[in-house]
Amino acid sequence: MFKPGDIVVHRTLGAGQVLAIEEKKIDGKLQKFIRVHLKLREGDILLPCTEHGCDDLRPAITTDQIDQIERILQTKTAFRPGLPQTADEMMSPEDLVKSQDPFKIAKAIRRLVDESKGPDFSELHRELLAKARAALASELMQVKKISRAAAYTFITRALRAGDIKAKEQKKKSR
């Protein structure tokens, strides 16, 4: 069960901080709720819970995991014909984003950005990329205690660093 001060991520509403655990009487039964302040939406939500927790919430990434997110964003995707693919590489960007896993969302962002330069990049892909960036930015805002602009800048800088590194490696291989 979460406690006040924990940073959490709601399945559809983004990241927030647990403010309180509250009990309310509903239909004569005492029920527990978690009050979460959602920074991106600038408001609170009250979520029902059981003794097993809250189905719509998961713990946010830790500050230690932010470096891993950054490395994922910096790693250019590459199609490798004939080589085995990981389970994540076989997932569509839509499925990666739907997973609500911040590491998979970072992989979807990287893949969509790499694909955005190609002719098959559609408006649906553009919308998915915006959704994925917003989801990751929401979590970064809470964990790093930064503004929305700073979270988007973090994502953009990591992506650009990956592009620069890939260009340098390409030059060296010539």
Side-chain angles (χ1 to χ4, degrees):
M1 180 72 110
F2 298 108
K3 61 185 182 315
D6 286 351
I7 305 296
V8 295
V9 179
H10 185 273
R11 181 173 41 87
T12 57
L13 300 175
Q17 185 171 21
V18 175
L19 296 177
I21 309 298
E22 302 177 9
E23 290 185 346
K24 296 191 180 288
K25 209 170 208 176
I26 298 178
D27 294 331
K29 290 184 179 180
L30 201 58
Q31 189 169 348
K32 282 191 177 186
F33 291 86
I34 294 180
R35 181 174 298 278
V36 178
H37 177 73
L38 299 171
K39 191 172 187 176
L40 248 184
R41 300 192 185 265
E42 298 179 5
D44 295 355
I45 56 172
L46 201 58
L47 300 166
C49 298
T50 66
E51 60 275 355
H52 304 293
C54 219
D55 290 341
D56 291 337
L57 291 180
R58 69 166 172 79
I61 58 175
T62 64
T63 53
D64 295 339
Q65 293 171 316
I66 291 173
D67 289 340
Q68 188 177 350
I69 295 285
E70 189 173 26
R71 280 192 301 278
I72 291 168
L73 292 169
Q74 290 175 351
T75 304
K76 298 274 289 175
T77 56
F79 177 68
R80 302 168 304 180
L83 294 177
Q85 294 182 317
T86 67
D88 288 351
E89 289 172 333
M90 293 188 327
M91 290 176 75
S92 70
E94 294 86 359
D95 288 338
L96 289 169
V97 174
K98 284 181 192 173
S99 75
Q100 300 299 311
D101 177 317
F103 302 104
K104 289 180 181 181
I105 292 171
K107 288 176 184 179
I109 291 169
R110 179 75 253 180
R111 190 182 311 169
L112 287 164
V113 166
D114 290 347
E115 291 173 3
S116 70
K117 292 146 181 95
D120 296 333
F121 198 72
S122 69
E123 186 60 33
L124 288 175
H125 286 109
R126 199 173 323 288
E127 290 171 10
L128 182 62
L129 178 56
K131 179 181 176 182
R133 282 183 186 221
L136 189 57
S138 168
E139 197 158 348
L140 289 169
M141 287 170 59
Q142 287 292 334
V143 175
K144 291 177 66 82
K145 297 181 180 9
I146 58 176
S147 69
R148 180 185 315 203
Y152 277 98
T153 299
F154 173 90
I155 294 168
T156 302
R157 283 185 179 157
L159 291 165
R160 282 192 186 138
D163 292 343
I164 291 167
K165 189 166 73 174
K167 283 180 185 177
E168 289 171 356
Q169 288 175 344
K170 198 172 187 178
K171 282 181 184 178
K172 286 180 184 178
S173 67
R174 288 182 186 173

Tab-separated table of all heavy atoms in Angstrom, residues 123 129 136 155:
chain	number	residue	atom	x	y	z
A	123	GLU	N	-0.086	10.832	-39.080
A	123	GLU	CA	-0.629	11.704	-38.026
A	123	GLU	C	-0.903	10.890	-36.754
A	123	GLU	O	-0.711	11.385	-35.654
A	123	GLU	CB	-1.904	12.400	-38.519
A	123	GLU	CG	-2.461	13.423	-37.547
A	123	GLU	CD	-1.489	14.553	-37.222
A	123	GLU	OE1	-0.699	14.954	-38.090
A	123	GLU	OE2	-1.516	15.038	-36.071
A	129	LEU	N	3.300	9.737	-30.418
A	129	LEU	CA	4.550	10.296	-29.915
A	129	LEU	C	4.265	11.388	-28.883
A	129	LEU	O	4.893	11.433	-27.816
A	129	LEU	CB	5.397	10.840	-31.065
A	129	LEU	CG	6.717	11.505	-30.700
A	129	LEU	CD1	7.618	10.575	-29.893
A	129	LEU	CD2	7.437	11.978	-31.969
A	136	LEU	N	5.781	10.273	-20.185
A	136	LEU	CA	7.115	10.222	-19.588
A	136	LEU	C	7.445	11.542	-18.895
A	136	LEU	O	8.014	11.551	-17.801
A	136	LEU	CB	8.161	9.890	-20.654
A	136	LEU	CG	9.561	9.587	-20.129
A	136	LEU	CD1	9.547	8.432	-19.129
A	136	LEU	CD2	10.498	9.260	-21.289
A	155	ILE	N	13.884	15.086	-22.186
A	155	ILE	CA	13.609	14.077	-23.213
A	155	ILE	C	14.255	14.478	-24.538
A	155	ILE	O	14.943	13.676	-25.184
A	155	ILE	CB	12.084	13.879	-23.378
A	155	ILE	CG1	11.496	13.264	-22.099
A	155	ILE	CG2	11.768	13.016	-24.600
A	155	ILE	CD1	9.976	13.293	-22.039
